[in-house]
């Protein structure tokens, strides 16, 4: 084997006898190639895998979820205008809702759910609500004052002061302030935050809202959103139920039509047929009114989710604070939800500006006339700011078609149902803020769509509870937009930390890689110098004589470096470097 190896080695090295510089040039080219390949290896190192959070929050042209830009759909303003206005009034609305008039709200938290038997009550301590004794409140708000009788100006007959559940102009269920089961709540002592309320009870509430009170357009408004199906409950979706029933019938008897066996199944069959008959209408363009309705519901849902994420209880530290992961999962990864909360804010801001005519003559009674005047000045200042910006929403474009009257009634009745569904929420604190914010939105709709501006000077237009709900809803929406900006800053800070960590890791990896490459380069240079030495031995008789005497040492040296030579040849082939045939034969001959 040794003779064969030396013979091959001698024969191949003789190829360079006529050109002793050829081997040197080859070595030079190889070393140059190694330098270039080394630089490319460092420059083209694959970057770290981009996290899901980075994809969601990074401000890019195609995907700018955290910093939306452009026109808000179905509104009269853009995102930047809304954020600018929110910054102007945030401090003012926050100060206003802390005043005595706006921080107390009366409602019945123990109404029975009118749609199903609610057995999903939250037993968590954070779900409970603290009430306040009426004796601590102004006399104008007490049960005695609210249940007083009036004398008819037409005669001396006494008539009780009656409160109707609904007025034609109402878009929501307004709390009966004379209800003996109602109680006052200090909203500052019962902030909207994470309570742990979730599961089937919460899903059933939102399922009833989206599936049964959203004009059946949820699937159209969330088209293209891969993570929006969690708003729909397949167990209560009539279209999904119908599809399953039809599929089951086909499996039982694929050759004949399925016939209902009893009156209940017949009713279900006819109901599903009526649902299927409306499928053709899905291809028609959705009207403005239905889009506005859905955006309001989605904006309310998004705002509530934002408050939960912003006031999250960390069970590890025992502290309350913002949860960025919660925000990304519930809001940040859904650009349509972000847009809808901006839309809802724009609509409510327009309602507050329009209500300024009514509020200009309203008396904010708190038991202290000077305090009432101070609150009135704060309200007027906020309304002036809201009115100073261009119109954020044009209510005059709504309900103008041939079906305007019936569509408006359907719009109103759907929202009334949503306000009643709030009595099905199993968490007291969630029910409290759900009722306040649905009442606030209902009041905004009432101001925008039930009255012309010339009719707003009626002193009995709105009840105190509606005014309190309207401004507290504006405050919650304002704080939601502020929370979005806070989460944006949290992400940017976290992103900078991630980039710094990645840079440190990359530098460390580069140092290790450089050392490994330098070691490989030394071995390669050694190999070619060794081959060059063999070439010189072959061409120089004196060196050949010496080499013949130390051939055993040469053989041992070749055997020692053989594994390294094999690895280097493998590297050459990976890099696409043309390996001379003689070099492969020389190295393979020692195997």
């Amino acid at each position: 084997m040794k003779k064969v190896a030396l013979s091959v080695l001698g024969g191949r090295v003789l190829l360079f006898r006529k050109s002793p510089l050829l081997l040197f040039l080859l070595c030079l080219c190889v070393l140059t190639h190694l330098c270039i390949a080394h630089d490319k290896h460092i420059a083209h190192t694959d970057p770290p895998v981009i996290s899901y959070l980075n994809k969601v929050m990074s401000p890019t042209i195609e995907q700018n979820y955290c910093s939306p830009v452009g026109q808000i759909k179905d509104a009269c303003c853009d995102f930047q205008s809304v954020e600018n206005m929110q910054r102007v009034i945030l401090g003012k609305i926050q100060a206003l809702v802390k005043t005595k008039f706006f921080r107390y709200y009366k409602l019945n938290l123990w109404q029975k759910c009118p749609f199903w038997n609610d057995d999903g009550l939250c037993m968590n301590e954070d779900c409970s609500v603290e009430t306040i004794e009426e004796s601590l409140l102004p006399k104008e708000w007490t049960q005695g004052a609210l249940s007083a009788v009036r004398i008819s100006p037409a005669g001396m007959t006494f008539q009780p002061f009656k409160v109707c559940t609904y007025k034609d102009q109402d878009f929501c269920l307004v709390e009966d302030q004379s209800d003996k089961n109602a109680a006052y709540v200090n909203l500052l002592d019962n902030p909207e935050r994470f309570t742990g309320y979730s599961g089937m009870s919460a899903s059933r509430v939102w399922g009833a809202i989206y599936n049964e009170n959203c004009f059946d357009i949820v699937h159209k408004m969330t088209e293209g959103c891969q993570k929006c199906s969690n708003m729909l409950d397949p167990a209560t979706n009539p279209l999904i139920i119908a599809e399953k029933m039809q599929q089951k019938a086909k499996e039982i008897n694929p050759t004949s039509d399925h016939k209902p066996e009893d009156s209940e199944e017949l009713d279900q069959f006819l109901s599903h047929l009526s649902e299927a008959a409306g499928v053709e209408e899905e291809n028609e363009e959705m009207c403005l009114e239905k889009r506005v309705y859905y955006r309001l519901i989605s904006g309310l849902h998004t705002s509530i989710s934002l408050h939960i994420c912003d006031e999250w209880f960390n069970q590890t530290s025992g502290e309350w604070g913002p949860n960025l992961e919660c925000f990304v999962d519930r809001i940040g990864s859904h650009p349509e939800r972000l847009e809808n909360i901006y839309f809802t804010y724009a609509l409510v801001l327009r309602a507050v500006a329009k209500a300024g005519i009514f509020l200009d003559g309203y008396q904010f009674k708190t038991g202290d006339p000077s305090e009432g005047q101070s609150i009135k000045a704060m309200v007027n200042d906020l309304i002036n700011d809201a009115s100073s910006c261009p119109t954020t929403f044009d209510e005059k474009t709504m309900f103008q078609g041939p079906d305007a009257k019936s569509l408006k009634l359907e719009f109103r009745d759907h929202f009334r149902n949503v306000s009643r569904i709030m009595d099905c929420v199993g968490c007291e604190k969630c029910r409290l803020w759900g009722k306040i914010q649905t009442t606030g939105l209902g009041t905004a709709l009432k101001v925008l769509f039930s009255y012309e501006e010339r009719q707003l000077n009626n002193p009995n237009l709105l009840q105190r509870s509606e005014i309190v709900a309207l401004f507290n809803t504006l405050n919650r929406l304002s704080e939601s937009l502020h929370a979005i900006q806070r989460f944006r800053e949290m992400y940017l800070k976290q992103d900078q930390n991630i980039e710094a960590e990645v840079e440190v890791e990359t530098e460390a990896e580069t140092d290790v890689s450089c050392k490994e490459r330098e070691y490989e380069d030394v071995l390669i240079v050694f190999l070619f110098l060794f081959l060059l030495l063999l070439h010189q031995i072959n061409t120089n008789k004196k060196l050949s004589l010496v080499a013949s005497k130390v051939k055993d040492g040469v053989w041992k040296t070749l055997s020692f470096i053989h594994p390294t030579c094999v690895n280097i040849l493998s590297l050459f082939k990976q890099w696409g470097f043309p390996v001379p045939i003689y070099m492969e034969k020389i190295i393979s001959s020692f195997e």
Side-chain angles (χ1 to χ4, degrees), residues 41 59 152 178 180 192 239 245 247 297 307 333 337 409 454 456 467 477 487 504 517 524 526 576:
H41 176 75
S152 171
S178 62
K180 294 181 180 180
E192 184 179 18
L239 293 175
M245 288 183 63
Q247 184 64 30
I297 297 296
H307 304 152
S333 56
R337 295 182 187 177
L409 290 176
R454 54 184 174 80
L456 293 174
I467 299 172
L477 292 169
F487 281 119
V504 172
R517 299 293 297 178
I524 292 172
F526 174 77

Side-chain angles (χ1 to χ4, degrees), residues 162-174 409 412-413 416 446 450-451 458 460-463 466:
K162 298 179 180 180
V163 178
C164 299
T165 303
Y166 290 116
K167 293 188 292 185
D168 289 341
Q169 296 85 359
D170 292 339
F171 278 74
C172 66
L173 177 64
V174 181
L409 290 176
R412 183 198 66 184
D413 292 344
R416 284 180 176 179
K446 179 179 180 179
S450 294
Y451 300 103
N458 182 353
N460 298 319
L461 189 69
L462 300 175
Q463 298 182 30
E466 293 176 286

Side-chain angles (χ1 to χ4, degrees), residues 88-105:
V88 171
I89 72 171
L90 177 62
K92 297 179 179 180
I93 187 65
Q94 286 179 329
L96 187 63
V97 297
K98 292 178 182 177
T99 62
K100 182 184 291 187
F101 184 89
F102 286 100
R103 72 172 178 261
Y104 294 107
Y105 189 76

Side-chain angles (χ1 to χ4, degrees), residues 481-544:
L481 297 189
H482 185 63
I484 291 174
Q485 299 169 30
R486 180 162 50 249
F487 281 119
R488 183 185 306 159
E489 293 172 358
M490 287 177 62
Y491 168 74
L492 292 176
K493 183 177 180 180
Q494 176 173 302
D495 187 47
Q496 291 173 355
N497 293 336
I498 292 175
E499 288 182 355
E501 292 175 0
V502 170
E503 186 176 351
V504 172
E505 292 176 359
T506 303
E507 289 178 355
E509 292 174 358
T510 301
D511 291 340
V512 173
S513 178
C514 286
K515 291 178 180 178
E516 292 176 351
R517 299 293 297 178
E518 288 172 0
Y519 178 69
E520 292 172 359
D521 292 350
V522 170
L523 290 177
I524 292 172
V525 172
F526 174 77
L527 172 63
F528 279 92
L529 289 176
F530 186 76
L531 292 175
L532 183 59
L533 175 62
L534 292 178
H535 172 69
Q536 294 299 324
I537 289 173
N538 188 58
T539 57
N540 191 303
K541 292 182 179 180
K542 292 182 180 181
L543 289 177
S544 298

